Amino acid sequence: MASNQSFAQNIVESGQRAAARSNTSAGTETRAGTFRIWRGMGASGQLEDYSTSVSEGMVVLDAIHQIQAEGATDLAVRWNCKAGKCGSCSAEINGMPRLLCMTRLSELDLEKPVTVEPMRAFPPVKDLVTDVSSNFRAKKRIRKFTPRPPDAPDGTWRMAQSDADRVQEFRKCIECFLCQDVCHVLRDHQLHEQFVGPRLLVHAAQLEMHPLDILDRTDELKESHGIGYCNITKCCTKVCPEHITITDNAIIPLKERVVDNHYDPIAKLVRLMRGSKSTDTGQGEAR
Amino acid sequence: MASEVVQLTRRGFGQTTRRDAWWVQPLVVFIVLASFLVYATWAAFQNKFYAFGNYLSPFYSPLLFSDSPHAWIHGGRPSWIPAFLPFSPALLILPFPAGFRLTCYYYRGAYYKSFWADPPNCAVGEPRASYRGERFFPLVIQNVHRYFLYVALVFLVILSSDAYKAMWFFNRDTGRQNFGIGLGTIVLVVNVILLGGYTLGCHSLRHLVGGYLDQLSRAPVRKKTYDCVSCLNRGHMRWAWLSLVWVAFSDVFIRLCAMGIWHDVRLF
């Protein structure tokens, strides 16, 4: 309880510091901004308008903290690093999934109220906080990294830098789940059980394309992970704060691997003639 | 403090809190694709004005059956085509490039949005509550894309040959073919370049030339090819639109020249 109070106090102080900065910055123009913020417990709630002073350099999260400090002390918002690296402060700003800490107020039209809502793809908990645990459950369904036996007697592996570079892009993911939020399969159709979503497909691609990994996950990708639900709208790529080319570099290559193993009779024939299970020439037993 | 009651339930068709003109992009895609579809269908059924001198419209290439000197097999309508079916040489070949574009990963995303509103745009409410994706019939057929790619690569060679032939003009005085460049030559060469950029940047091709390998570094030629295809793939959307518009323009150019409305300019 004491730690909760201390945490709440930290938030309030952070907002007060932001408010003080915005009021005292020399040469910085301060103006009023209206923020239409979702307030509510669970699925029911309402958008409420809050006015606060904003100044140059502020991001939406600063404004939210300021609003907390100025009176809405019970406004729930998840945040941590304020540097776009922890992926905690995901929300919807003017209808688009974005990180609160990386959205500058200078990018927004402050003549109209700025709408801040929780991510719609996930069950709302309170105010801007949602329950994203379905993503972690889905992640458990993806078979883990399974490397081939070590290349050297000291238990280490050898791989080319260019092969490692290919999957390195996927490791930039900060698990903000904005891609999951914008994906209409999850957002509008709530098919969380049938489709793992773009974030988890990036995770699967990272494992599937890894030069050391020997598992073939195409069967699960087609069946339980539901890759066929993706209809390539590229919205996930559009909202990714780490600029991962999710659709072109992760999802479509995985779809093509599924085609290799499930929809391409010629590839099947080639595999039969070669005596291998999959078209991949990796060294694993399943490839 | 003003209040507005909003439930976090599924939004209806077109509902969103987006402030931008989200409807512009799908509308433009709808207009351009629909216009192309209407024009290409009309042009395919015309069965005339598809060649002008050494120029052949890409809508009619390869010209399988025709009286034209461009034809592969001279003569009119083949006897094995039932009389009740309309005939045009374009109808025999256009299903292949059409299928290539229809199953293209880029176009799929674009027309699902603009023609089927699935979704109308990112973070915008959809008209239907049910969704089956590409898991089931009929959309599971989209997985045939690579087969259309194989045919598209053959078509690219044929269109390159047409562009080369467009550089050889018949000289009535000498009775021989002379090298030259006309406006139509440039139109057909640009057409091949744009179609090449589109076809050779295909996602399926990227996979087939090496994308399926986890250790590409062990296959240097494949690696180089994969890098080249990836380079074109990064601009796949631009290549897709430019090649679509230009292939239609190529047909318009040759059609209007053949009709005597436009005149080809011989540069040298």
Side-chain angles (χ1 to χ4, degrees):
Chain A
M1 193 62 175
S3 67
N4 280 349
Q5 280 174 348
S6 146
F7 181 65
Q9 184 62 29
N10 280 342
I11 292 173
V12 171
E13 284 172 3
S14 166
Q16 284 168 340
R17 282 196 298 275
R21 270 201 308 278
S22 67
N23 288 333
T24 59
S25 301
T28 306
E29 195 179 323
T30 302
R31 55 166 297 184
T34 303
F35 293 82
R36 187 163 286 170
I37 303 171
W38 176 265
R39 301 299 311 269
M41 288 292 290
S44 63
Q46 59 199 18
L47 286 168
E48 294 183 0
D49 285 356
Y50 295 90
S51 286
T52 190
S53 61
V54 300
S55 59
E56 192 185 338
M58 281 178 74
V59 293
V60 176
L61 186 59
D62 289 331
I64 299 283
H65 283 162
Q66 205 164 279
I67 288 163
Q68 282 178 326
E70 289 168 353
T73 51
D74 61 339
L75 169 59
V77 57
R78 190 183 278 135
W79 66 282
N80 191 5
C81 74
K82 290 185 81 175
K85 288 296 164 199
C86 72
S88 302
C89 63
S90 304
E92 298 190 8
I93 301 167
N94 284 345
M96 277 303 279
R98 302 181 76 169
L99 292 178
L100 294 172
C101 72
M102 297 304 286
T103 308
R104 288 184 171 275
L105 293 181
S106 55
E107 297 170 24
L108 306 172
D109 177 12
L110 295 176
E111 296 300 319
K112 294 174 186 166
V114 175
T115 307
V116 186
E117 298 166 282
M119 292 190 284
R120 297 190 72 89
F122 306 111
V125 178
K126 182 178 187 304
D127 302 335
L128 300 178
V129 177
T130 51
D131 176 9
V132 294
S133 58
S134 60
N135 299 302
F136 303 116
R137 286 196 298 277
K139 197 171 189 177
K140 285 181 184 167
R141 284 159 48 199
I142 295 171
R143 283 193 287 161
K144 289 178 182 166
F145 177 64
T146 309
R148 63 175 184 247
D151 297 333
D154 63 355
T156 57
W157 288 269
R158 304 288 177 268
M159 58 180 166
Q161 184 61 48
S162 60
D163 293 334
D165 285 345
R166 190 174 172 206
V167 292
Q168 201 61 28
E169 178 189 12
F170 308 137
R171 296 182 66 87
K172 291 194 298 178
C173 177
I174 58 172
E175 296 207 315
C176 61
F177 304 124
L178 290 178
C179 56
Q180 302 280 88
D181 181 41
V182 82
C183 174
H184 73 120
V185 183
L186 304 176
R187 180 190 183 86
D188 291 304
H189 303 292
Q190 297 285 317
L191 294 170
H192 289 86
E193 293 305 314
Q194 293 93 324
F195 179 53
V196 292
R199 157 60 196 141
L200 280 312
L201 289 177
V202 165
H203 178 62
Q206 179 190 322
L207 299 171
E208 268 299 292
M209 297 176 194
H210 196 288
L212 299 186
D213 186 83
I214 56 168
L215 291 186
D216 182 352
R217 297 171 183 81
T218 49
D219 287 350
E220 303 104 279
L221 282 166
K222 176 178 178 280
E223 302 298 338
S224 58
H225 302 340
I227 196 168
Y229 279 109
C230 170
N231 69 342
I232 327 147
T233 59
K234 295 198 177 186
C235 293
C236 49
T237 306
K238 203 171 174 181
V239 301
C240 179
E242 284 294 318
H243 306 293
I244 301 170
T245 319
I246 300 173
T247 319
D248 291 312
N249 289 350
I251 298 179
I252 294 175
L254 287 180
K255 273 180 172 264
E256 282 294 315
R257 288 181 185 216
V258 170
V259 174
D260 276 346
N261 289 352
H262 294 277
Y263 299 109
D264 184 351
I266 292 179
K268 210 167 250 184
L269 196 68
V270 169
R271 276 199 305 281
L272 273 175
M273 287 165 70
R274 282 183 178 171
S276 62
K277 272 183 77 179
S278 157
T279 49
D280 197 314
T281 58
Q283 298 175 336
E285 79 275 2
R287 296 206 172 220
Chain B
M1 195 166 66
S3 290
E4 182 189 340
V5 176
V6 181
Q7 298 289 326
L8 274 181
T9 49
R10 185 179 169 275
R11 280 182 169 143
F13 179 40
Q15 284 186 342
T16 181
T17 44
R18 279 180 67 166
R19 293 273 171 75
D20 57 337
W22 59 264
W23 48 271
V24 170
Q25 189 196 23
L27 182 66
V28 170
V29 168
F30 179 85
I31 290 169
V32 176
L33 276 184
S35 306
F36 179 84
L37 210 64
V38 169
Y39 176 76
T41 309
W42 174 82
F45 276 97
Q46 289 305 296
N47 198 10
K48 57 186 175 184
F49 303 126
Y50 50 76
F52 177 68
N54 51 341
Y55 304 151
L56 175 64
S57 163
F59 279 1
Y60 282 77
S61 179
L63 189 58
L64 298 178
F65 305 100
S66 170
D67 295 326
S68 159
H70 294 277
W72 289 19
I73 299 167
H74 289 276
R77 178 195 186 107
S79 56
W80 51 266
I81 296 178
F84 64 87
L85 286 178
F87 173 75
S88 161
L91 295 176
L92 300 175
I93 55 137
L94 278 187
F96 298 102
F100 182 55
R101 287 194 190 257
L102 198 71
T103 58
C104 163
Y105 283 103
Y106 166 69
Y107 280 115
R108 271 145 76 175
Y111 67 71
Y112 286 142
K113 281 183 188 165
S114 54
F115 281 76
W116 200 239
D118 211 1
N121 209 333
C122 306
V124 179
E126 296 181 20
R128 289 165 296 274
S130 63
Y131 178 74
R132 290 157 58 91
E134 296 183 340
R135 274 173 72 88
F136 306 100
F137 184 80
L139 293 182
V140 73
I141 294 174
Q142 303 279 27
N143 291 308
V144 80
H145 185 53
R146 61 178 60 173
Y147 286 95
F148 281 116
L149 165 72
Y150 302 142
V151 182
L153 290 170
V154 175
F155 272 51
L156 196 59
V157 174
I158 295 167
L159 291 173
S160 303
S161 154
D162 288 344
Y164 176 75
K165 285 175 189 164
M167 295 173 188
W168 296 92
F169 293 82
F170 181 70
N171 188 327
R172 284 167 198 257
D173 300 333
T174 61
R176 301 175 64 180
Q177 303 272 352
N178 289 343
F179 179 78
I181 301 285
L183 211 51
T185 315
I186 294 171
V187 168
L188 290 179
V189 168
V190 170
N191 182 51
V192 169
I193 292 170
L194 295 177
L195 282 175
Y198 171 60
T199 310
L200 300 177
C202 165
H203 289 89
S204 287
L205 185 64
R206 189 179 181 221
H207 171 79
L208 293 165
V209 298
Y212 69 91
L213 291 170
D214 293 341
Q215 299 184 74
L216 253 176
S217 60
R218 294 188 173 191
V221 176
R222 280 185 176 275
K223 169 84 173 75
K224 194 78 193 157
T225 316
Y226 175 80
D227 289 343
C228 290
V229 175
S230 297
C231 182
L232 288 171
N233 182 264
R234 281 190 281 276
H236 201 48
M237 181 186 77
R238 277 190 297 277
W239 289 113
W241 285 117
L242 288 172
S243 61
L244 184 88
V245 170
W246 199 266
V247 77
F249 174 71
S250 303
D251 182 81
V252 170
F253 180 86
I254 290 164
R255 186 170 298 278
L256 292 181
C257 285
M259 292 169 78
I261 297 170
W262 280 5
H263 299 283
D264 183 44
V265 179
R266 180 83 179 267
L267 302 176
F268 66 86

